[in-house]
Amino acid sequence: MTLDTPVTTIEVRNPRTGVADYSFVPTTPSELQDIARAARAAQVDWQALGLEARIAILTHWVEKVDAAAPEIVAAVTADTGRHAESLREIGNIGKWVDRWSAVARKALTLEPTPTANPDIHSFADYSPYPVLGVISPWNFPLSLSLMDAIPALLAGCAVIIKPSEVTPRFVEPLVASIAEVPELAEVLHYVCGAGALGAALVDEADMICFTGSTATGRKVASQAAARFIPCFTELGGKDPAIVLEGADLDRATSAILTGATLATGQQCYSIERIYVHRSLHDAFVAQLAEKARAVKLALPEPDDGRIGPLTFAPQAEIIAAHLADARAKGAEVHSGGEIETHGGGLWCAPTVLSNVDHDMAVMTEESFGPLMPVMAFDTVDEAVRLANDSPYGLSGAVFGLEDDALAVARRLDLGGISINDAGLAPFFIGDATVAEKTAFKSSGLGGSRLGPDSIKRFLRRKALLVNRSTRKSPWWFDA
């Protein structure tokens, strides 16, 4: 895209009706350059305010967000077709400001450090990356746009966010809340457009955080690498769950059903493949299918059920292809199993499959929908091998006696593993009390969003070395 590319309008589909009922004019590359230039200049004063002042400003902004909550929630619900998750998304903002503020107060406190040489005194210092570029996805449009922005702002960065063009409605009411806090409005900017604008943002920022598909993540990381700027990515997943002998079936089926269908399975942390010890397999499938059939679609209103529509229409084609492939290769469907059309929207009921294997796309490729394929295993070694047989390594779950489950978890090539539960890691974003995690394999690159030092990824480290000796140093040259 060149700077003189004509401005066009982007139409946005409503996932509940299938109708394009919203449109916006995308930010142009020249406008992005102006925004980046202004943000970079404003960042100097933002950093100089100090941590406590930045905390106070973000806390004040949370009050503005809360006041605008009805408009923002309505926009996110229209974006995604889901209401309950929209309420959780807006609730994350205040929670994350509180959590990351606590992390920042501890992590950004600097103390002198001794060196092996008593004459040389060492001091640590931090310098924030001036402008963070955030490229966020469509599945949780509000919270995922701010998940990295909030800690970066507390660290002293300015932030420019390019949300998905699939779910942009929330930007207008959210930006209105930002405008009510002038100090924040200078350093927190949203720009809207398609993929080309995201690529342009990589060229303007000093650091990039990208959440989305592995295919796009590779492009973003390559572009960032060419500029020698850091790039943190959280990408696709094909999260496994392992159910060992001794597992509580009622607990396992409830946790896995929730972990596989929350947000209609449209999250990278979804459980997408399930391995069950053969002695439990039939009972597990029967119980999971019974529970799955009891979960209702959110029709006719968003609060009338738990399963919302498929937000991104092309994803329905991927899910349908996975189901057709599985059926053709002998899979048995116990619940759901179809893409349904209601009121113009595309829907998929919770779908339990058995008689599946790794020759099927549903066990090896990311579905991003409420599909639960179940495969039997005979030995722990087999379960570990199957769970690790994937290019992805984001997260997963193990159910069983705690010591047995922990032993299996330590053998899995996954970043965040829930024991006797599913999808725990996202609930602890910004929490200094939990262990850090990173993504394995093709599921991401870079630092953790968990743990006491996670905010430091937005900072460059400086070592200040002071020579306090009154003697000449042995490494000096004398004229």
Side-chain angles (χ1 to χ4, degrees):
M1 178 180 288
T2 61
L3 296 184
D4 57 354
T5 300
V7 174
T8 59
T9 299
I10 295 180
E11 302 290 328
V12 182
R13 173 183 173 274
N14 185 313
R16 295 189 70 89
T17 66
V19 175
D21 58 6
Y22 183 86
S23 64
F24 67 93
V25 176
T27 306
T28 67
S30 59
E31 289 170 338
L32 173 60
Q33 287 183 347
D34 291 341
I35 290 168
R37 191 178 300 112
R40 194 177 303 281
Q43 184 271 333
V44 176
D45 291 337
W46 177 252
Q47 179 183 350
L49 285 172
L51 176 60
E52 291 304 324
R54 294 195 293 271
I55 290 173
I57 290 167
L58 285 169
T59 301
H60 179 49
W61 174 52
V62 171
E63 296 174 0
K64 302 300 182 182
V65 171
D66 290 343
E71 293 80 12
I72 298 172
V73 169
V76 177
T77 300
D79 272 333
T80 64
R82 308 185 307 265
H83 185 245
E85 282 89 353
S86 302
L87 293 172
R88 281 192 285 270
E89 284 203 63
I90 199 166
N92 283 336
I93 298 176
K95 178 173 67 178
W96 287 345
V97 168
D98 288 343
R99 283 183 177 179
W100 284 112
S101 295
V103 170
R105 286 186 172 113
K106 292 182 178 180
L108 305 186
T109 299
L110 302 175
E111 299 291 343
T113 56
T115 72
N117 186 327
D119 291 331
I120 307 300
H121 294 252
S122 172
F123 299 85
D125 196 12
Y126 297 124
S127 178
Y129 288 94
V131 177
L132 168 67
V134 173
I135 304 172
S136 58
W138 51 261
N139 52 333
F140 290 95
L142 172 62
S143 54
L144 291 187
S145 75
L146 291 167
M147 182 162 43
D148 296 305
I150 288 172
L153 288 163
L154 288 168
C157 306
V159 181
I160 302 173
I161 301 168
K162 204 296 283 185
S164 171
E165 68 276 18
V166 176
T167 50
R169 293 172 176 85
F170 77 96
V171 173
E172 186 175 348
L174 186 68
V175 166
S177 75
I178 296 170
E180 294 189 62
V181 186
E183 305 96 329
L184 183 62
E186 292 185 347
V187 291
L188 177 57
H189 302 268
Y190 276 80
V191 295
C192 290
L197 185 65
L201 179 57
V202 178
D203 285 336
E204 295 294 336
D206 303 297
M207 176 184 183
I208 289 291
C209 287
F210 172 83
T211 305
S213 72
T214 296
T216 304
R218 290 185 194 278
K219 296 177 182 177
V220 171
S222 295
Q223 186 180 350
R227 295 192 57 228
F228 284 133
I229 64 170
C231 179
F232 294 99
T233 63
E234 186 166 281
L235 309 175
K238 191 68 179 175
D239 288 5
I242 297 175
V243 182
L244 302 170
E245 281 188 291
D248 180 330
L249 277 190
D250 183 55
R251 183 187 187 99
T253 51
S254 290
I256 289 172
L257 175 64
T258 303
T261 64
L262 188 68
T264 319
Q266 298 170 126
Q267 56 174 346
C268 52
Y269 285 92
S270 287
I271 296 297
E272 290 212 1
R273 49 196 175 105
I274 306 161
Y275 305 98
V276 181
H277 191 272
R278 195 171 299 278
S279 65
L280 303 175
H281 176 271
D282 291 352
F284 177 92
V285 170
Q287 189 174 123
L288 181 64
E290 181 181 5
K291 291 181 178 180
R293 287 190 290 267
V295 179
K296 297 180 179 180
L297 300 181
L299 288 168
E301 299 298 328
D303 286 329
D304 288 341
R306 298 296 300 274
I307 304 298
L310 299 170
T311 302
F312 188 40
Q315 201 65 42
E317 299 175 9
I318 294 173
I319 294 169
H322 287 187
L323 290 170
D325 174 72
R327 279 193 173 95
K329 294 174 180 175
E332 182 179 353
V333 178
H334 299 267
S335 66
E338 303 288 346
I339 299 297
E340 305 174 22
T341 301
H342 299 284
L346 301 171
W347 304 72
C348 183
T351 297
V352 177
L353 306 167
S354 66
N355 197 29
V356 295
D357 58 41
H358 279 217
D359 288 332
M360 300 177 185
V362 75
M363 292 297 285
T364 58
E365 299 176 11
E366 188 174 32
S367 300
F368 224 62
L371 308 186
M372 292 166 281
V374 184
M375 183 175 176
F377 68 86
D378 293 301
T379 68
V380 168
D381 287 346
E382 182 186 8
V384 170
R385 177 181 60 79
L386 289 167
N388 286 337
D389 180 23
S390 173
Y392 299 107
L394 188 60
S395 57
V398 184
F399 294 82
L401 301 177
E402 185 171 318
D403 287 346
D404 295 340
L406 284 169
V408 169
R410 291 187 173 98
R411 298 174 62 187
L412 299 179
D413 296 331
L414 304 169
I417 304 171
S418 302
I419 307 298
N420 290 320
D421 207 333
L424 287 175
F427 292 100
F428 292 90
I429 289 168
D431 194 324
T433 66
V434 299
E436 293 190 9
K437 75 166 210 60
T438 53
F440 284 42
K441 301 180 181 178
S442 296
S443 284
L445 180 72
S448 176
R449 288 163 169 160
L450 311 177
D453 292 326
S454 49
I455 199 169
K456 292 181 180 178
R457 62 200 165 108
F458 301 106
L459 301 165
R460 297 164 293 185
R461 280 78 160 171
K462 292 182 179 180
L464 310 180
L465 304 172
V466 181
N467 187 341
R468 292 179 175 171
S469 172
T470 58
R471 305 180 304 275
K472 286 185 177 182
S473 293
W475 49 79
W476 287 358
F477 294 126
D478 284 324

